[in-house]
């Protein structure tokens, strides 16, 4: 009987120890097999402490947040330190669907065993003020507390700054965590490779930042494709309406790109204040763009003879400002160096091409200007220098709708003599003109078709 009692006593001790062990390791664990990411949580009884064990591959950054969405969610983000030999832990809170900001009021005690081991982040930490924050709380009685997670792009972020700017996540998802199961004796959870008291509800979902892509593509198409084509149209096509239509098309591309850029700026801490060089230069470039749109208006162009001449220098200034704006935008968006170098190369090639085309146009004049000059000179030639019977034929056709020179009336002959001071038959009757008469245009008319050639006047009687 005594031995039986002693056996019961030992059994009770083992049960108590086993129960204590289970209670000490109370935790809920999120585990994503694809990346071997683990986030385990322990809520200490009788305390506001939150014990965290967090491990994941050393991407540029990885984070887990308390909440159904980004807005007002408390997130714990990890990324490599400046030297790449340890991990920076950054508690952040998001104001909306935008980059979260560092929350200095959240106090995390980083414990021994934290670092980067075999290209894996390993974090052991105790949060002293994580159960309540501005905009949210951890509901310790919730058996399906909403949680979120996200992964940044490749290894390009190394910083000791807990508020460093982040690139947009490439994948994200959601899960529910049982906070009741996570409550127990306070202790850092152990490493695990399986889900415990957690249910995956989404993802990981591949993210697409289509607005940013459209912003870049529209801007580059306007500058490096449509702009050079428009300069060619302006220089070598007589129909000025094609140049005007293409200019409107380019302006539409740029306006849409500007609108997308303003929308994107609100998503990132580095651009929310609109004080980056990229944004400042973009706003400066609006001024010459507006002037280019207003200069062709007749009331403005008529104010001074030099106003139309501002079109070419303003075009060059606008193009230069927009190209510089695009380059600074790539830097603001933390684009890879090969992309930035490719942009610079294309910009230089297009700039050289435009310079050569504009020099050619300046030397020979645009097709529209030359055609306009020829039309003007041609009208003057026909008015001032009649050409015998050929000129009479034009007068007859315009006043009578047809007929031959032989059917001219007396009044038509008088009209010719009044305009030109001589008889329409003078050229054929041995006139004193050095160029002769006839029914075909003479040398005098042909010479005046070419600006710069001395003008020969008809001898007066």
């Amino acid at each position: 009987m005594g031995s039986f009692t002693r056996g019961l006593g030992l059994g009770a001790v083992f049960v108590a120890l086993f129960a204590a062990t289970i209670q000490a390791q109370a935790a809920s664990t999120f585990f994503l097999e694809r990346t071997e990411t683990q986030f385990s949580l322990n809520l200490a009884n009788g305390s506001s402490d939150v014990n965290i064990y967090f491990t994941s591959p050393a991407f540029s950054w990885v984070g887990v947040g308390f909440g159904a969405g980004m807005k007002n969610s408390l997130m714990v983000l990890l990324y490599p330190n400046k030297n790449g030999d340890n991990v920076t832990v950054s508690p952040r809170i998001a104001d909306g669907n935008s980059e979260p900001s560092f929350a200095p009021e959240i106090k995390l005690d980083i414990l021994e065993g934290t670092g980067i081991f075999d290209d894996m982040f390993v974090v052991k930490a105790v949060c002293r003020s994580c159960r309540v924050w501005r905009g949210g709380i951890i509901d310790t009685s919730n058996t399906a507390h909403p949680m979120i997670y996200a992964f940044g792009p490749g290894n390009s972020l190394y910083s000791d700054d807990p508020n460093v700017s982040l690139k947009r996540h490439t994948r994200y998802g959601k899960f529910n965590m049982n906070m009741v199961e996570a409550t127990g004796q306070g202790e850092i959870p152990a490493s695990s490779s399986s889900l415990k008291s957690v249910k995956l509800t989404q993802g990981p979902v591949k993210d697409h930042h289509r607005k940013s892509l459209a912003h870049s593509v529209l801007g580059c198409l306007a500058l490096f494709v449509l702009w050079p084509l428009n300069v060619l149209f302006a220089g070598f096509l007589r129909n000025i309406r094609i140049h005007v239509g293409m200019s409107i098309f380019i302006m539409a591309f740029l306006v849409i790109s500007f609108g997308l850029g303003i929308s994107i700026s609100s998503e990132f801490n580095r651009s929310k204040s609109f004080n980056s060089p990229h944004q400042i230069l973009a706003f400066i470039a609006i001024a010459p763009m507006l002037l280019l749109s207003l200069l062709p208006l007749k009331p403005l162009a008529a104010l001074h003879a030099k106003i139309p001449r501002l079109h070419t220098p303003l075009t060059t200034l606008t193009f230069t400002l927009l190209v510089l704006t695009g380059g600074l935008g790539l830097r603001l968006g933390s684009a890879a160096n090969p992309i930035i170098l490719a942009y610079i190369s294309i910009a230089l090639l297009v700039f050289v091409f435009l310079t050569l085309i504009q020099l050619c146009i300046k030397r020979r004049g645009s097709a529209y200007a030359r055609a306009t000059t020829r039309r003007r000179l041609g009208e003057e030639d026909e008015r001032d220098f009649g050409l015998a019977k050929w000129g009479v034929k034009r007068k007859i056709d315009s006043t009578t709708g047809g007929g031959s020179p032989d059917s001219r009336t007396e009044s038509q002959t008088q009209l010719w003599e009044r305009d030109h001071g001589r008889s329409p038959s003078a050229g054929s009757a041995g006139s004193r003109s050095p160029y002769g008469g006839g029914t075909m245009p003479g040398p005098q008319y042909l010479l005046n078709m070419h600006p710069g050639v001395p003008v020969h006047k008809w001898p007066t009687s």
Side-chain angles (χ1 to χ4, degrees):
M1 187 69 176
S3 60
F4 178 74
T5 303
R6 286 194 298 271
L8 287 177
L10 291 174
V13 171
F14 282 120
V15 169
L17 290 174
F18 180 75
T21 303
I22 295 298
Q23 185 180 16
Q25 296 185 359
S28 292
T29 298
F30 162 73
F31 183 77
L32 191 63
E33 185 176 0
R34 182 183 302 182
T35 58
E36 298 183 353
T37 298
Q38 177 193 347
F39 180 81
S40 295
L41 198 68
N42 168 265
L43 304 178
N45 275 325
S47 170
S48 62
D49 291 350
V50 176
N51 301 294
I52 297 172
Y53 180 86
F54 194 175
T55 180
S56 185
F59 296 110
S60 60
W61 65 265
V62 60
V64 171
F66 299 87
M70 292 187 66
K71 186 176 182 180
N72 296 327
S73 176
L74 172 61
M75 305 178 190
V76 179
L77 271 65
L78 315 180
Y79 44 88
N81 69 350
K82 184 177 181 180
N83 297 324
D85 57 2
N86 207 336
V87 58
T88 299
V89 184
S90 174
R92 302 192 181 204
I93 298 175
D95 296 326
N97 291 322
S98 59
E99 180 185 356
S101 301
F102 174 58
E105 68 272 18
I106 305 299
K107 304 301 181 181
L108 278 173
D109 292 342
I110 307 302
L111 305 180
E112 186 178 353
T114 295
I116 297 179
F117 307 101
D118 298 328
D119 295 325
M120 294 285 289
F121 293 132
V122 176
V123 172
K124 298 179 180 180
V126 178
C127 185
R128 304 299 182 186
S129 54
C130 286
R131 297 198 183 189
V132 180
W133 62 91
R134 64 177 190 271
I137 63 170
I138 294 178
D139 185 359
T140 57
S141 63
N142 195 338
T143 58
H145 196 289
M147 305 285 288
I148 57 176
Y149 65 96
F151 300 99
N155 295 325
S156 59
L157 176 63
Y158 297 90
S159 177
D160 297 329
D161 184 3
N163 198 33
V164 69
S165 295
L166 303 175
K167 287 186 179 181
R168 186 182 174 100
H169 46 60
T170 57
R171 295 184 183 274
Y172 63 92
K174 298 180 180 181
F175 61 93
N176 292 332
M177 178 172 277
N178 189 330
M179 295 301 174
V180 175
E181 294 292 331
T183 303
Q185 183 177 335
E187 185 178 353
I188 300 299
S191 175
S192 176
S193 59
S194 61
L195 292 170
K196 179 185 177 183
S197 303
V198 165
K199 180 181 179 181
L200 295 176
T201 58
Q202 184 187 43
V205 178
K206 188 175 182 181
D207 187 28
H208 298 281
H209 199 194
R210 292 183 176 87
K211 285 197 296 185
S212 180
L213 180 62
H215 171 66
S216 303
V217 170
L218 287 176
C220 288
L221 283 177
L223 292 178
F224 301 142
V225 178
L226 299 182
W227 199 291
L229 285 176
N230 199 28
V231 173
L232 290 174
F233 292 161
F236 301 102
L237 294 184
R238 296 182 182 181
N239 191 346
I240 195 65
R241 294 180 181 178
I242 298 177
H243 170 60
V244 173
M246 180 62 78
S247 298
I248 295 174
F249 201 50
I250 292 173
M251 187 64 69
F253 269 52
L254 292 175
V255 168
I256 295 173
S257 181
F258 268 66
L260 290 172
I262 292 173
S263 176
I264 294 167
S265 296
S266 63
E267 298 180 5
F268 298 94
N269 295 334
R270 57 186 175 274
S271 56
K272 286 180 180 179
S273 301
F274 291 92
N275 57 0
S276 67
H278 167 69
Q279 294 163 310
I280 293 173
L281 201 58
F283 289 130
I284 292 175
I286 292 176
M289 286 172 59
L290 288 176
L291 286 177
L292 280 176
S293 303
L294 297 175
L295 281 180
L297 298 178
K298 290 184 179 180
L300 185 60
L303 293 177
H304 197 281
K306 292 184 178 181
I307 289 180
R309 301 177 187 175
L310 296 176
H311 183 79
T312 299
L314 273 177
T315 300
T316 303
L317 175 62
T318 304
F319 179 80
T320 303
L321 288 176
L322 290 175
V323 169
L324 291 175
T325 299
L328 292 172
L330 291 176
R331 179 59 65 184
L332 179 64
S334 302
N337 287 333
I339 294 178
I340 296 177
L341 291 175
Y343 178 88
I344 293 173
S345 301
I346 294 173
L348 289 175
L349 289 174
V350 173
F351 188 82
V352 171
F353 173 78
L354 291 177
T355 301
L356 294 176
I357 293 297
Q358 288 177 345
L359 288 175
C360 179
I361 294 173
K362 183 178 180 180
R363 183 179 180 86
R364 67 193 296 271
S366 69
Y368 171 75
R370 288 185 284 113
T372 303
T373 301
R374 284 198 297 269
R375 285 195 299 269
R376 179 173 58 80
L377 292 175
E379 291 169 0
E380 291 176 352
D381 291 342
E382 289 178 7
R383 184 174 66 250
D384 296 336
F385 307 106
L387 297 172
K389 295 180 181 180
W390 182 78
V392 175
K393 180 68 165 56
R394 290 175 58 88
K395 287 284 185 179
I396 293 173
D397 290 344
S398 63
T399 56
T400 66
S404 65
D406 296 335
S407 62
R408 293 194 305 270
T409 63
E410 184 66 25
S411 60
Q412 292 167 343
T413 304
Q414 291 173 354
L415 178 63
W416 173 268
E417 293 175 346
R418 185 192 65 190
D419 289 345
H420 302 282
R422 63 186 180 87
S423 169
S425 61
S428 59
S431 69
R432 288 173 293 176
S433 168
Y435 300 106
T439 59
M440 295 297 292
Q444 174 65 34
Y445 181 83
L446 297 176
L447 285 173
N448 282 280
M449 287 293 290
H450 299 276
V453 179
V455 176
H456 297 272
K457 297 183 178 180
W458 289 99
T460 57
S461 56

